[in-house]
Amino acid sequence: MGTVRTLVFPVLRLLVWSVIAVALVVLAFGGSDAAGPSAGGPGAPMLDLSSPPVPVARGTVANTVTVQGTVVADSAVPVKATAAGTVRRVLVQKGATVTAGQTVVEVRFEEEQQPATGTDPEGNPTATPRPPKVRTVAVPTPSAGVVTSLDVLVDQVVSVGDTIGQVSPGTLSVSAPLTQAEQFRLLAPPTTAEVTVQGGPAPFTCTGLALGAEPVAAGPDAGMGGPMGPPAGGGTTARCAVPPGTAVFSGMAATVAVSAGTAEDVLVVPVTAVQGSVQQGNVWVVGDDGAEEQRSVALGLTDGEQVEIREGLDEGEQVLQFVPVPDDTVEDYSTGGPYG
């Protein structure tokens, strides 16, 4: 029994570990050939990773961009002095409701006059100075609303363009940030958008739709992006005016749908088949013999899933469903390549 324990068992364990080691080597380096066709060897069906062709067909493309936004209060409008002089009268107080063009401040200034000319008893020409004329100029409000500030006093000296107050219009807008792809889809935006506020009134149309840069908030790190980042940018937003009387409030979330056109009965292909998304693109046409040809096409509207083809393709032609990608095969530098 001692002989079995000291000789036979160690030999058996050595044989078992040897068989396991050989099996791992075979699986790692030659398993597909050794295991036969069922394991992926010669004669086994291969997985086809090529891009399937799709036909160029006719369809309808509705370019509606839907984004999430927020109801915001319109910014106060500055009241600026229209003449250089001294304040004669302040006609309204902070918190007053004013109409567009209403006078809030009067500015007094002196206008120099040309001297009076004449002749003396001896017939010589004379010029007699005249006192300046005192004139008063009204400073109007730029818009209707509520005076939120009026930082000026009687007899205070002001210059042309000085901001002497602020008027809040009391109106609301809807502002929604846009991604780069959404901006490209709205190169020719309409002037209105459909807005839905969850739990609020029925969907309504907001007007004056405009795309522009979002203001950058001022702060101690403005323009520097903080101690560890690049300059902070504002991005691009879509903004439109809420109709007066609509029961929404600043800070509410809103869904903004912008309809930028519809193309009916046009040639379309999947967006995945086109390299590029605006105006011009490339597709890969598959011929009857299976050969692939890169072709330039003119693009129209897109709905995010399919894109209109205006020029470059005919109905019924076959194109690759996915844009080909460069071969990502890893080179074996031990047998060649740039470092072989």
Side-chain angles (χ1 to χ4, degrees):
M1 188 66 182
T3 304
V4 172
R5 183 178 297 125
T6 57
L7 294 178
V8 176
F9 284 171
V11 171
L12 289 177
R13 280 198 296 268
L14 182 60
L15 289 175
V16 170
W17 284 112
S18 299
V19 171
I20 293 174
V22 171
L24 291 176
V25 171
V26 171
L27 289 176
F29 299 102
S32 59
D33 292 336
S38 61
M46 301 298 293
L47 181 62
D48 185 7
L49 298 178
S50 61
S51 175
V54 293
V56 180
R58 290 194 171 272
T60 298
V61 178
N63 183 21
T64 300
V65 177
T66 302
V67 293
Q68 300 302 313
T70 307
V71 179
V72 296
D74 291 331
S75 301
V77 182
V79 180
K80 296 187 176 182
T82 54
T86 58
V87 176
R88 178 174 177 268
R89 287 197 301 170
V90 178
L91 302 177
V92 299
Q93 300 297 322
K94 179 180 178 180
T97 300
V98 295
T99 59
Q102 179 178 338
T103 301
V104 293
V105 170
E106 288 181 350
V107 176
R108 174 186 176 277
F109 68 97
E110 295 181 347
E111 185 179 78
E112 297 292 336
Q113 297 190 83
Q114 296 291 335
T117 58
T119 57
D120 58 15
E122 299 178 356
N124 298 317
T126 61
T128 305
R130 293 191 296 173
K133 285 186 177 181
V134 178
R135 297 189 179 277
T136 301
V137 172
V139 178
T141 57
S143 65
V146 176
V147 178
T148 56
S149 68
L150 196 60
D151 303 323
V152 69
L153 301 173
V154 174
D155 292 333
Q156 179 177 331
V157 177
V158 295
S159 299
V160 176
D162 284 352
T163 298
I164 61 176
Q166 299 276 344
V167 175
S168 174
T171 54
L172 299 173
S173 295
V174 177
S175 179
L178 300 176
T179 65
Q180 182 170 311
E182 290 162 349
Q183 293 177 57
F184 278 125
R185 290 180 60 183
L186 295 176
L187 292 179
T191 58
T192 61
E194 195 78 4
V195 177
T196 303
V197 177
Q198 185 175 5
F204 58 89
T205 300
C206 65
T207 58
L209 177 67
L211 274 59
E214 182 181 5
V216 180
D221 294 329
M224 297 182 294
M228 297 295 290
T236 299
T237 62
R239 189 181 180 107
C240 58
V242 175
T246 305
V248 295
F249 304 94
S250 179
M252 289 185 171
T255 300
V256 184
V258 183
S259 179
T262 301
E264 299 180 349
D265 193 29
V266 295
L267 297 180
V268 295
V269 297
V271 294
T272 56
V274 184
Q275 183 184 51
S277 58
V278 179
Q279 297 180 341
Q280 295 292 327
N282 295 320
V283 297
W284 278 258
V285 181
V286 181
D288 295 336
D289 58 355
E292 300 173 3
E293 171 201 354
Q294 180 179 333
R295 189 181 301 177
S296 177
V297 293
L299 305 177
L301 299 180
T302 178
D303 59 7
E305 295 183 358
Q306 57 185 7
V307 59
E308 174 191 2
I309 302 297
R310 293 181 174 175
E311 294 179 4
L313 291 175
D314 295 324
E315 185 177 1
E317 286 191 289
Q318 299 282 325
V319 298
L320 293 182
Q321 184 177 0
F322 302 102
V323 174
V325 296
D327 184 11
D328 59 354
T329 302
V330 179
E331 294 188 34
D332 185 358
Y333 294 117
S334 64
T335 60
Y339 302 104

